[in-house]
């Protein structure tokens, strides 16, 4: 789906550069087809080039910049008119820009999905007073660079490890490459040419051949899943979200974005659960499975963080950092987010859902149950307590951050632990492992259910709380541990809906509702069977999307466009309009489709492996397979 924006709507739609990438490279191209360094960026986002896993050896683990590209032409003025398009089916970005001096520059660019190449075809539709100059500013800190006239740059960067490789900048027209003023310049006298920026890839590359293989790679991925629905705004945003999750899928996992502004591409186990569910319910199993595979690869380090070098618990005990790099090191600054514990529940639940959707019993035994069990044992040993009345409760911890630090027995966290304990007990039973632990997990889950905080006819965010919170929906979504018609859960749901304008942003700012909270409510509405309400919420989200259908962490304040957490929840919300499953895996087709949707079709993932495909006409199924 090709999405086009221009200078007339940029301000009203909170323009941010178009995102390209392949899970290793992360590239943002602005409307000029370059990467001009604006003073304030775009919602904390700055155009440029980053690479997943390339970071400095610092407490924050900052991503290493792989530079940015600029035009340099004599007399070139400022843009007065421009148009930019992103095709979210194959990641091709086109730009058409007219400058105040009359110069017109047209560009077509893409990042190859399977090779580390940015390919750009550029046409300058006016006469030039001199050669076109492309400046590549690449000067990472603590680096040694060496270049020759062929356009090959050798780098050695002292970071989290010693990074060595090459960057190649070449054109298909006669050109001159040289180092200049802290960067590199490619001078091209031609008015039409193609250039490639290649990272650790020295094979020959021709634009049309690269474009063809890139499109074939994207087509193969898209064949795994599709939806066709009547709402154009929702589908536009859905397709962009699927696109961005794919280009954010690194060899390790999926961060909130491979950008400096997005916590330098570090990995949050809490957020990973939402992106995982968006992908796995879509049928993108391989991309989703990276997440629990990554967590399993770090399990020895996660166990050492709590057990030391002499583990004694037969199940294992593990705790992951709140924000981890690729080595299981905590990279977040000190703050009350250190006192979150529901990310441990999310490690367990992501692993459990990976089993449910794969049906792979051996994978459950070898990788997934060790994650589930060790995370649940950390929750059991360190965070389950008994209050003065002898009730089983979760001790003080940080629930959702806007509720403040160290709240006793918080509702959302408790629901997450209940879900994790019940998943652990079921998994242990399937494998015939640790029956005593399984019985204890079930006993604790039941105790936590009985002590969920409530008052005034509803569940409360924590005992005695007078505030309101999206976390009040947690029994329905994300965790599904309470029936949608549970009276106290219904009361909590109504309370949030009535007061969401006062608590609708992740942080204590603004007066609106952030995109991922709207999606969260939409999933809950879909699970309640209210497709009309769910679609209204999703169309409200779509109205708040950026110029290319990208989601923000908080659109109202323009914070962090291209935000994968919100994308994952949005995708899952749309999927659950079309397809849900009972606890035993029985499918429910069109469980929350609004009455106006008479024709729609989809191919989505199902528990046990594989996909389900359906086509509805006049509100009735004409094909299910």
């Amino acid at each position: 789906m090709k999405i086009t924006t221009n200078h007339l709507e940029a301000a009203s739609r909170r323009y941010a550069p178009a995102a390209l990438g392949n899970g290793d490279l992360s590239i943002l191209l602005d409307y000029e087809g370059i990467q001009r360094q604006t003073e304030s960026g775009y919602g904390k986002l700055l155009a440029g080039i980053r690479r997943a896993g390339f970071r400095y050896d610092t407490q924050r683990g900052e991503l290493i910049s792989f530079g940015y590209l600029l035009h340099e032409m004599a007399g070139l003025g400022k843009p007065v008119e421009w148009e930019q398009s992103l095709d979210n089916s194959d990641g091709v970005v086109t730009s058409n820009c007219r400058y105040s001096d009359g110069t017109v520059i047209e560009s077509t660019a893409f990042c190859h999905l399977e090779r580390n190449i940015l390919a750009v075809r550029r046409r300058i539709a006016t006469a030039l007073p001199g050669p076109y100059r492309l400046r590549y500013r690449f000067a990472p800190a603590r680096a040694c660079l060496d270049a020759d006239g062929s356009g090959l740059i050798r780098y050695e960067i002292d970071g989290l490890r010693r990074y060595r490789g090459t960057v190649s900048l070449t054109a298909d027209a006669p050109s001159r490459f040289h180092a200049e003023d802290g960067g590199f310049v490619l001078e091209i006298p031609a008015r039409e040419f193609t250039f490639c920026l290649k990272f650790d890839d020295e094979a020959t590359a021709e634009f049309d051949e690269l474009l063809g293989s890139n499109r074939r790679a994207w087509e193969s991925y898209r064949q795994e899943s599709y939806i066709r629905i009547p709402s154009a705004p929702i589908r536009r945003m859905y397709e962009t979200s699927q696109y961005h999750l794919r280009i954010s899928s690194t060899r390790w996992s999926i961060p909130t974005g491979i950008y400096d502004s997005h916590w330098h591409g570090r990995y949050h186990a809490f957020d990973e659960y939402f992106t995982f569910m968006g992908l796995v319910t879509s049928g993108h199993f391989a991309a989703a499975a990276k997440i629990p595979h990554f967590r399993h690869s770090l399990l020895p380090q996660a166990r050492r963080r709590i057990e030391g070098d002499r583990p004694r618990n037969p199940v294992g005990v593990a705790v992951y950092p709140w924000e981890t790099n690729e080595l299981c090191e905590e990279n977040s600054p000190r703050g009350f987010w250190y006192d979150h514990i529901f990310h441990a529940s999310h490690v367990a639940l992501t692993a459990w859902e990976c089993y449910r959707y794969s049906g792979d019993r051996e994978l459950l035994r070898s990788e997934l149950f060790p994650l589930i069990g060790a995370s649940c044992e950390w929750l059991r040993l360190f965070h389950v307590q008994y209050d003065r009345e002898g009730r089983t409760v979760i001790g003080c911890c940080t629930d959702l951050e806007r509720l403040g630090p160290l709240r006793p027995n918080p509702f959302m966290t408790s629901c997450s632990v209940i879900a994790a304990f019940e998943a652990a007990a079921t998994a242990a039973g399937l494998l015939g492992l640790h029956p005593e632990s399984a019985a204890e997990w079930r006993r604790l889950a039941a105790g936590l259910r009985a002590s969920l905080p409530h008052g005034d006819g509803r569940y409360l965010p924590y005992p005695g709380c007078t505030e309101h919170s999206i976390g009040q929906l947690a029994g329905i979504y994300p965790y599904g541990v309470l029936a949608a018609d549970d009276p106290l859960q219904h009361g909590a749901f109504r309370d949030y809906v009535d007061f969401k304008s006062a608590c609708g942003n992740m942080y204590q700012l603004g007066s609106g509702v952030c995109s991922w909270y709207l999606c969260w409510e939409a999933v809950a509405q879909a699970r309640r069977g209210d497709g009309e309400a769910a679609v209204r919420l999703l169309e409200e989200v779509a109205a708040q999307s950026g110029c290319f259908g990208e989601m923000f962490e908080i659109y109202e304040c323009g914070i962090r466009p291209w935000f994968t957490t919100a994308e994952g929840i949005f995708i899952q919300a749309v999927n659950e309009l079309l397809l849900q499953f009972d606890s035993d895996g029985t499918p429910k087709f069109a469980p929350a489709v609004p009455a106006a949707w008479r024709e729609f079709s989809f191919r989505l993932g199902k528990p046990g492996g594989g996909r389900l495909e359906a086509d509805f006409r006049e509100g009735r199924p004409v094909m299910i397979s």
Side-chain angles (χ1 to χ4, degrees):
M1 179 183 298
K2 188 175 183 180
I3 303 172
T4 302
T5 188
N6 58 46
H7 62 287
L8 298 175
E9 71 170 11
S12 63
R13 293 297 297 274
R14 298 193 181 280
Y15 173 82
L20 296 87
N22 58 14
D24 185 336
L25 287 177
S26 175
I27 300 168
L28 292 161
L29 280 186
D30 64 27
Y31 52 81
E32 295 183 73
I34 54 174
Q35 296 165 319
R36 200 174 294 280
Q37 305 297 284
T38 61
E39 287 186 11
S40 58
Y42 303 90
K44 299 189 176 184
L45 201 65
L46 197 63
I49 303 169
R50 301 294 184 267
R51 297 184 69 180
F54 282 72
R55 54 180 83 249
Y56 290 111
D57 186 14
T58 61
Q59 197 278 324
R60 300 290 297 276
E62 292 90 345
L63 288 170
I64 294 169
S65 170
F66 272 76
Y68 55 92
L69 297 164
L70 299 172
H71 299 312
E72 286 190 357
M73 288 165 48
L76 186 68
K78 293 183 178 180
V80 292
E81 293 181 354
W82 58 266
E83 183 177 274
Q84 187 179 28
S85 299
L86 168 66
D87 191 329
N88 57 33
S89 66
D90 57 13
V92 174
V93 171
T94 57
S95 301
N96 189 318
C97 200
R98 184 171 69 83
Y99 293 82
S100 57
D101 67 346
T103 299
V104 175
I105 300 179
E106 302 168 359
S107 300
T108 300
F110 64 93
C111 175
H112 200 284
L113 190 60
E114 297 177 334
R115 295 178 64 181
N116 280 350
I117 298 174
L118 171 65
V120 181
R121 175 171 283 164
R122 192 150 285 168
R123 177 175 179 267
I124 303 166
T126 50
L128 296 178
Y132 174 84
R133 285 168 55 92
L134 179 74
R135 180 176 292 276
Y136 174 46
R137 288 200 173 273
F138 175 46
R142 306 198 319 236
C144 177
L145 304 179
D146 176 54
D148 57 35
S150 70
L152 186 67
I153 306 163
R154 295 178 179 84
Y155 65 82
E156 185 171 327
I157 306 171
D158 183 12
L160 191 58
R161 61 180 176 83
R162 199 73 172 172
Y163 302 105
R164 296 181 178 88
T166 62
V167 181
S168 175
L169 178 58
T170 57
D172 66 350
S175 58
R176 186 172 80 92
F177 174 87
H178 60 279
E180 180 184 294
D181 189 25
F184 304 91
V185 171
L186 191 65
E187 293 186 355
I188 309 171
R191 287 169 54 186
E192 293 189 39
F193 53 88
T194 294
F195 69 85
C196 287
L197 193 60
K198 299 185 289 185
F199 298 83
D200 302 324
D201 186 327
E202 298 184 44
T204 57
E206 193 274 329
F207 187 92
D208 289 328
E209 180 183 342
L210 284 172
L211 182 58
S213 60
N214 176 65
R215 283 175 168 157
R216 289 191 293 274
W218 272 108
E219 177 63 21
S220 177
Y221 185 73
R222 291 200 315 274
Q223 285 298 313
E224 295 177 355
S225 173
Y226 71 84
I227 65 161
R228 299 187 184 99
I229 57 176
S231 173
I234 292 177
R235 186 176 177 190
R236 170 181 182 265
M237 198 165 180
Y238 183 94
E239 300 295 349
T240 293
S241 295
Q242 291 279 17
Y243 163 78
H244 190 241
L245 285 190
R246 174 61 186 87
I247 69 171
S248 302
S249 180
T250 76
R251 75 187 77 172
W252 296 279
S253 180
I254 300 180
T256 60
I258 312 170
Y259 313 116
D260 296 355
S261 55
H262 293 49
W263 299 277
H264 283 272
R266 298 187 290 267
Y267 303 95
H268 296 69
F270 179 80
D271 296 69
E272 285 173 335
Y273 174 76
F274 298 110
T275 53
F276 174 89
M277 291 304 297
L279 288 168
V280 80
T281 58
S282 299
H284 292 307
F285 301 126
K290 284 184 182 180
I291 295 173
H293 290 329
F294 170 61
R295 291 293 163 178
H296 181 261
S297 75
L298 299 182
L299 185 57
Q301 295 94 314
R303 292 185 66 170
R304 279 197 296 273
R305 295 180 81 234
I306 202 71
E307 292 184 325
D309 294 324
R310 299 181 65 186
R312 295 173 180 167
N313 186 296
V315 178
V317 186
V319 58
Y320 290 86
W322 178 243
E323 295 175 30
T324 187
N325 61 13
E326 295 75 17
L327 303 178
C328 205
E329 297 172 341
E330 178 64 80
N331 273 175
S332 68
R334 186 70 202 183
F336 61 87
W337 43 84
Y338 271 40
D339 296 313
H340 284 306
I341 67 169
F342 48 21
H343 64 302
S345 301
H346 282 204
V347 171
L349 293 172
T350 300
W352 172 243
E353 293 293 345
C354 187
Y355 165 70
R356 285 188 65 240
Y357 273 85
S358 69
D360 188 334
R361 188 74 63 91
E362 183 50 41
L363 181 64
L364 177 65
R365 182 182 300 276
S366 62
E367 288 193 24
L368 303 177
F369 180 75
L371 282 176
I372 298 167
S375 296
C376 286
E377 282 295 87
W378 180 71
L379 291 166
R380 179 182 72 84
L381 292 168
F382 289 85
H383 296 286
V384 174
Q385 299 179 3
Y386 301 94
D387 66 10
R388 293 177 180 177
E389 288 75 40
R391 297 178 309 161
T392 305
V393 298
I394 295 297
C396 287
C397 62
T398 298
D399 201 60
L400 286 177
E401 289 173 17
R402 68 174 295 142
L403 291 173
L406 295 178
R407 302 303 182 186
N409 198 31
F411 177 74
M412 180 177 168
T413 298
S414 297
C415 288
S416 81
V417 177
I418 292 167
F421 281 168
E422 291 180 342
T426 302
L430 288 170
L431 297 173
L433 297 174
H434 309 294
E436 292 182 359
S437 295
E440 180 68 356
W441 291 326
R442 289 200 185 279
R443 184 186 71 81
L444 293 175
L448 291 171
R449 281 177 188 275
S451 63
L452 288 171
H454 60 275
D456 298 325
R458 62 186 175 91
Y459 289 115
L460 301 174
Y462 55 86
C465 180
T466 58
E467 299 178 75
H468 315 279
S469 172
I470 185 71
Q472 292 168 266
L473 277 58
I476 303 172
Y477 177 80
Y479 307 117
V481 295
L482 296 171
D485 59 358
D486 179 297
L488 294 177
Q489 178 65 93
H490 178 74
F493 188 95
R494 295 310 318 165
D495 181 76
Y496 168 75
V497 170
D498 291 344
F499 291 97
K500 62 183 174 182
S501 62
C503 64
N505 280 331
M506 180 67 190
Y507 314 114
Q508 297 277 6
L509 48 78
S511 59
V513 182
C514 66
S515 58
W516 61 300
Y517 282 18
L518 288 168
C519 298
W520 188 328
E521 183 187 349
V523 181
Q525 292 283 22
R527 291 185 177 183
R528 288 158 52 91
D530 192 343
E532 309 291 339
V535 167
R536 283 196 301 270
L537 289 162
L538 294 174
E539 290 189 336
E540 183 178 347
V541 178
Q544 296 181 12
S545 65
C547 292
F548 303 109
E550 73 275 16
M551 299 186 75
F552 290 64
E553 185 187 26
I554 303 177
Y555 181 83
E556 176 189 5
C557 305
I559 296 175
R560 295 190 183 93
W562 299 108
F563 186 64
T564 64
T565 309
E567 293 164 355
I569 306 174
F570 184 87
I571 291 167
Q572 185 178 1
V574 176
N575 291 347
E576 292 205 14
L577 298 176
L578 304 170
L579 183 64
Q580 295 178 28
F581 298 90
D582 290 331
S583 58
D584 64 358
T586 302
K588 297 187 289 185
F589 291 93
V593 168
W597 287 17
R598 306 298 293 167
E599 296 189 2
F600 55 92
S601 59
F602 58 83
R603 179 187 296 137
L604 297 171
K606 69 179 182 70
R611 299 166 180 85
L612 287 176
E613 195 164 4
D615 187 6
F616 280 68
R617 305 289 173 88
E618 294 300 319
R620 297 177 179 276
V622 296
M623 184 274 288
I624 290 178
S625 64

